[in-house]
């Protein structure tokens, strides 16, 4: 068994003034190169856990270990894709993708070249000079993915990246994401609220409920996965049962 | 122009084609502006001639270069006050949005202060600055108290309106503290800065007309500018209708020019910075 790249130890997150904890003791590991999906009803804590992994929130107790080291705030090696793409409206796609690189101090010319490489990788070469306002939702999300990838992360965190998109675009982006995953071998941790999406993409699905890990469901089917195959339907049934109790 | 869409819509032959969006309203707006201007000049002149006290006094002729100079003084005062207001408003806004303490204790204070009319500070300010021998300061102080609020509240609103996702993304990609202010916050508040500035400068015009001619003790303190010119032309021993109207036209033209050349352009530029 390979050494896990990420370990969550007894993660607890309680907000002052709120009754109970958002996250009440989460333990999980993620292995390098894995595609993991967090699923669960809204309010189950999956988003909070992802944010703690990314360093955007500090746990009330417990810790996140990335390659053995505790995560304290935003850490190089961990990058994130947001539900709304969260691009800066006054910057072009290229400048948005290069944003993280520029803040690191790389010279502008090199940042642009690197940005172009990742814009190509997500399939957006024609839109590099456009502003987010001129893009469709799917294109914006591609840009958001490019921006996260430009940091050359080892773990890519995705917070319901496709929930605001239509089914056709989502399907395209699934394929794109899987291609990127297979070529770059980046570890993926994605939150999804759709059973089918999790089953199509993940190696392992972690089901959250009420601030804890409820179950883990390994998905050993080969990709691309056939939604109509018997094994897929069995897993879907199983997962639906776990989620809707 | 003939109606060339009639085949599809089966409209009878009509002299005009469907005008494009906004065409009529542009003409209407231009005419409305002209009418408003003329009305303003006529009404104020009529009121002025109707109600002026009949006092002897030498007519005060004024040349165009002199008028432009006075206008320049007034604009300069406004500009200095604006820059100071902007700096103070930005710093106060940053303070209030980053510190819980400041938000709890300072915002209510600002709320109350903004409702106090700027001119209420007039006597105190004049006393203080006259004492210091810095008379221009009184005008600046009063302008500040009138201008800073529209800037402050607009900026605070815009800072709070930055979407949470964008704030998170900024942190994720290395823009924290000063980098965040420079690369995310300042561009994000640009539209609010423009609207806040328009309001502030508008308030400034109102205030400056009064702030330039101060009746303090025996000798009135007169700061050279459009405001004092209007004041002197409207009343007092040297009142003069021609002067009044010229000064008024100069004022209105300056405001309109500023509107067209500065505000309009900035508003167009600011569109790019808006979050949807």
């Amino acid at each position: 068994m390979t050494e896990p790249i990420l370990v969550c130890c007894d993660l607890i997150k309680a907000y002052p003034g709120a009754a109970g904890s958002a996250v009440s003791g989460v333990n999980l590991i993620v292995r390098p190169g894995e595609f993991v999906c967090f699923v669960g009803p809204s309010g189950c804590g999956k988003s909070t856990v992802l944010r703690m992994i990314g360093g955007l929130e500090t746990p009330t107790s417990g810790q996140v270990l990335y390659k053995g080291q505790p995560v304290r705030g935003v850490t190089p090696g961990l990058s994130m894709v947001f539900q709304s793409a969260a691009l800066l409206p006054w910057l072009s796609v290229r400048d948005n993708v290069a944003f993280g690189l520029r803040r690191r101090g790389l010279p502008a010319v090199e940042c642009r070249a690197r940005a172009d490489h990742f814009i190509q990788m997500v399939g957006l070469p024609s839109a590099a000079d456009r502003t987010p306002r001129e893009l469709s939702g799917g294109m914006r999300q591609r840009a958001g993915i490019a921006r996260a990838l430009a940091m050359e992360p080892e773990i890519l965190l995705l917070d319901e990246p496709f929930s605001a998109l239509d089914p056709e675009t989502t399907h395209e982006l699934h394929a794109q994401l899987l291609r990127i995953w297979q070529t770059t071998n980046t570890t993926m941790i994605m939150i999804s609220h759709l059973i089918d999406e999790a089953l199509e993409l993940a190696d392992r699905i972690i089901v959250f409920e009420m601030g804890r890990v409820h179950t883990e469901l390994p998905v050993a089917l080969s990709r691309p996965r056939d939604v109509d195959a018997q094994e897929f339907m069995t897993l879907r049934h199983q997962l639906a049962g776990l989620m809707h109790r | 122009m003939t109606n060339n869409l009639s085949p599809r819509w089966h409209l009878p032959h009509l002299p005009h084609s469907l005008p494009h969006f906004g065409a009529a309203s542009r003409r209407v707006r231009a005419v409305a502006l002209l009418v408003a201007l003329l009305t303003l000049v006529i009404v104020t002149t009529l009121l002025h001639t109707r109600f002026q006290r009949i006092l002897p006094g030498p007519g005060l002729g004024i040349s165009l270069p002199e008028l432009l100079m006075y206008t320049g003084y007034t604009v300069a005062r406004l500009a200095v006050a604006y820059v100071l207001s902007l700096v103070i408003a930005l710093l106060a806004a940053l303070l209030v949005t980053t510190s819980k303490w400041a938000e709890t204790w300072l915002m209510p204070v600002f709320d109350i202060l903004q409702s106090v009319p700027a001119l209420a500070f007039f006597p105190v300010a004049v006393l203080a600055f006259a004492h210091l021998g810095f008379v221009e300061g009184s005008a600046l102080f009063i302008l500040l108290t009138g201008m800073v609020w529209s800037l402050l509240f607009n900026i605070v609103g815009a800072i709070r309106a930055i979407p949470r996702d964008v704030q998170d993304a900024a942190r994720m990609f290395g823009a924290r503290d000063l980098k965040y202010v420079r690369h995310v916050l300042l561009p994000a508040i640009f539209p609010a800065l423009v609207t806040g500035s328009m309001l502030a400068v508008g308030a400034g015009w109102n205030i400056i007309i009064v702030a330039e001619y101060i009746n303090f003790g025996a000798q009135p303190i007169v700061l050279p500018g459009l405001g004092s010119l209007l004041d002197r032309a409207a009343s007092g021993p040297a009142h003069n209708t021609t002067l009044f109207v010229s000064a008024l036209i100069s004022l209105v033209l300056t405001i309109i020019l500023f509107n067209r050349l500065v505000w309009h352009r900035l508003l167009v530029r600011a569109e790019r910075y808006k979050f949807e």
Side-chain angles (χ1 to χ4, degrees):
Chain A
M1 230 346 68
T2 35
E3 200 63 34
I5 194 172
L6 189 86
V7 184
C8 293
C9 311
D10 296 320
L11 280 183
I12 296 180
K13 180 72 182 181
Y15 291 105
S21 311
V23 178
S24 33
V26 162
N27 283 286
L28 58 90
I29 63 151
V30 179
R31 291 175 211 100
E34 246 193 318
F35 198 131
V36 175
C37 263
F38 290 176
V39 302
S42 46
C44 65
K46 53 192 196 290
S47 223
T48 316
V49 171
L50 199 79
R51 290 169 65 83
M52 286 194 276
I53 293 172
L56 290 174
E57 305 243 20
T58 34
T60 311
S61 82
Q63 57 183 330
V64 178
L65 293 170
Y66 167 62
K67 299 212 274 192
Q69 299 300 314
V71 166
R72 280 191 241 281
V74 171
T75 313
L78 289 151
S79 202
M80 200 173 212
V81 178
F82 297 87
Q83 187 170 5
S84 66
L87 301 171
L88 297 175
W90 54 88
L91 294 177
S92 66
V93 166
R94 186 183 287 114
D95 289 334
N96 262 296
V97 173
F99 188 82
L101 299 166
R102 286 292 279 143
R103 298 296 84 76
R104 285 276 191 88
L106 283 173
V109 181
E110 187 175 340
C111 287
R112 277 198 290 271
R114 283 168 178 255
D116 281 328
H117 172 79
F118 291 100
I119 290 170
Q120 193 78 241
M121 195 188 270
V122 299
L124 264 188
S126 55
D129 290 304
R130 298 204 213 145
T131 53
R133 176 164 268 147
E134 302 162 61
L135 304 174
S136 66
M139 292 165 89
R140 279 184 218 156
Q141 198 52 286
R142 283 181 203 258
I145 294 171
R147 177 177 62 178
L149 291 174
M151 306 308 290
E152 296 177 48
E154 298 208 38
I155 303 183
L156 186 64
L157 306 167
L158 303 111
D159 191 348
E160 294 200 46
F162 312 127
S163 62
L165 306 173
D166 60 274
E168 293 80 42
T169 317
T170 308
H171 191 71
E172 275 172 44
L173 288 177
H174 281 174
Q176 189 95 61
L177 190 66
L178 282 174
R179 269 197 296 273
I180 294 170
W181 174 61
Q182 279 154 353
T183 25
T184 62
N185 216 33
T186 315
T187 311
M188 304 267 180
I189 305 178
M190 183 169 119
I191 296 181
S192 175
H193 70 275
L194 297 169
I195 295 178
D196 275 5
E197 183 173 62
L199 286 168
E200 274 178 52
L201 300 173
D203 287 322
R204 185 159 53 103
I205 300 174
I206 301 181
V207 184
F208 284 80
E209 193 185 66
M210 300 218 288
R212 286 174 195 280
V213 171
H214 177 256
T215 333
E216 291 196 18
L217 187 70
V219 185
L221 305 171
S222 58
R223 293 183 187 80
R225 292 171 178 169
D226 182 6
V227 193
D228 302 310
Q230 186 59 48
E231 307 103 315
F232 195 98
M233 307 232 261
T234 316
L235 280 167
R236 187 203 273 133
H237 200 76
Q238 208 179 341
L239 190 55
L242 288 167
M243 282 177 67
H244 305 125
R245 289 181 331 137
Chain B
M1 291 197 77
T2 50
N3 188 326
N4 41 20
L5 283 178
S6 43
R8 193 149 72 96
W9 301 109
H10 305 293
L11 284 164
H13 179 79
L14 295 161
H16 301 286
S17 62
L18 197 65
H20 41 235
F21 189 73
S25 64
R26 241 178 285 140
R27 263 177 281 139
V28 169
R29 263 183 292 166
V31 171
L33 182 65
L34 213 64
V35 169
L37 260 173
L38 282 167
T39 314
L40 175 69
V41 176
I42 293 170
V43 167
T44 46
T45 313
L46 278 175
L47 282 172
H48 180 72
T49 49
R50 182 90 171 73
F51 294 109
Q52 73 181 357
R53 291 170 296 179
I54 317 294
L55 280 175
L60 191 74
I62 194 161
S63 59
L64 188 60
E66 269 186 299
L67 188 62
L68 287 174
M69 184 183 70
Y70 282 124
T71 311
Y73 279 133
T74 305
V75 171
R77 252 175 235 118
L78 269 174
V80 173
Y82 170 74
V83 172
L84 281 169
S85 303
L86 183 62
V87 172
I88 294 172
L90 259 169
L91 290 172
L94 282 171
L95 184 65
V96 161
T97 48
T98 44
S99 151
K100 271 266 167 242
W101 180 93
E103 190 186 342
T104 324
W105 294 103
L106 289 181
M107 277 307 260
V109 175
F110 292 156
D111 247 322
I112 294 170
L113 282 177
Q114 71 148 344
S115 328
V116 178
L119 297 170
F121 295 107
F122 219 178
V124 178
V126 170
L127 260 167
F129 286 96
H131 234 67
L132 294 165
F134 178 44
V135 187
E136 284 280 357
S138 63
L140 275 173
F141 180 77
I142 294 153
L143 278 171
L144 256 155
T145 51
M147 291 170 94
V148 77
W149 307 118
S150 25
L151 283 166
L152 176 76
F153 286 106
N154 266 286
I155 294 173
V156 170
I159 294 176
R160 288 181 178 164
I162 299 175
R164 226 271 219 107
D165 266 3
V166 172
Q167 292 180 44
D168 289 339
R171 270 166 68 202
M172 209 69 209
F173 297 109
R176 266 189 324 269
D177 310 318
L178 272 177
K179 283 190 191 176
Y180 177 78
V181 171
R182 187 171 155 216
H183 295 285
V184 182
L185 191 139
L186 284 178
I189 65 172
F190 182 56
L193 273 178
V194 176
T195 47
S197 301
M198 288 172 76
L199 290 168
V201 172
W205 281 115
N206 270 308
I207 297 164
I208 198 137
I209 301 308
V210 180
E212 283 180 348
Y213 189 90
I214 307 157
N215 273 303
F216 183 65
Q219 190 76 302
I221 302 173
V222 180
L223 300 164
L226 220 45
S228 55
L229 204 60
L230 277 165
D231 210 308
R232 272 187 299 161
S235 60
H239 72 275
N240 182 310
T241 319
T242 327
L243 175 61
F244 181 79
V245 173
S246 332
L248 189 63
I249 291 177
S250 179
L251 174 67
V252 173
L253 278 173
T254 309
I255 293 177
I256 291 176
L257 225 90
F258 208 73
N259 215 289
R260 287 267 118 206
L261 294 176
V262 180
W263 297 135
H264 191 249
R265 296 228 174 111
L266 283 177
L267 279 172
V268 170
R269 281 266 216 91
E271 279 299 310
R272 187 195 170 97
Y273 291 78
K274 288 187 185 167
F275 294 99
E276 286 176 355

